[in-house]
Amino acid sequence: MIQWSRVRQLRDEVGADEFDEVVEIFLEEVQEVLIKLRNDTDRSEIEQNLHFLKGSALSLGFDSFSKLCQDGERNAAAGETDAVDLPAIFTAYDESRSLFQTGLAENLR
């Protein structure tokens, strides 16, 4: 669910001191876009929002979440917004975030 090698790579790229800030910004921005998705009842911005989430998730190693966002983005691009499983995307994010937060200390020694 989390690609820890990517997380370590990002930490090494930005430095340990900046890594916590990157994580904080990631969590805040993703939460904002998830709220947008929940409120986008006509799904007019779903493709753009899923694209943003996919890229953000990839940068921080949220592998399963990014794949669901990519699948949803493809469906939206094909005009099949009703086929996008938003509840699965929301659940994957919640599970990934929880696993990420509990696994940070263990996986970044």
Side-chain angles (χ1 to χ4, degrees), residues 25-74:
I25 291 169
F26 166 80
L27 294 173
E28 288 173 6
E29 289 180 350
V30 167
Q31 193 61 42
E32 288 174 14
V33 175
L34 290 173
I35 290 169
K36 287 180 185 179
L37 280 174
R38 284 185 176 97
N39 294 330
D40 185 19
T41 55
D42 65 357
R43 297 189 174 200
S44 61
E45 297 179 9
I46 192 168
E47 183 180 352
Q48 300 90 313
N49 287 327
L50 290 172
H51 178 77
F52 172 82
L53 291 173
K54 174 191 71 178
S56 297
L58 283 172
S59 70
L60 207 55
F62 280 48
D63 192 52
S64 299
F65 176 60
S66 69
K67 288 177 182 173
L68 285 173
C69 291
Q70 181 177 30
D71 292 344
E73 181 186 10
R74 282 188 193 136

Side-chain angles (χ1 to χ4, degrees), residues 93-108:
Y93 174 71
D94 290 339
E95 291 173 356
S96 296
R97 183 189 68 224
S98 178
L99 182 64
F100 179 80
Q101 290 175 320
T102 58
L104 268 178
E106 180 180 322
N107 289 286
L108 294 182

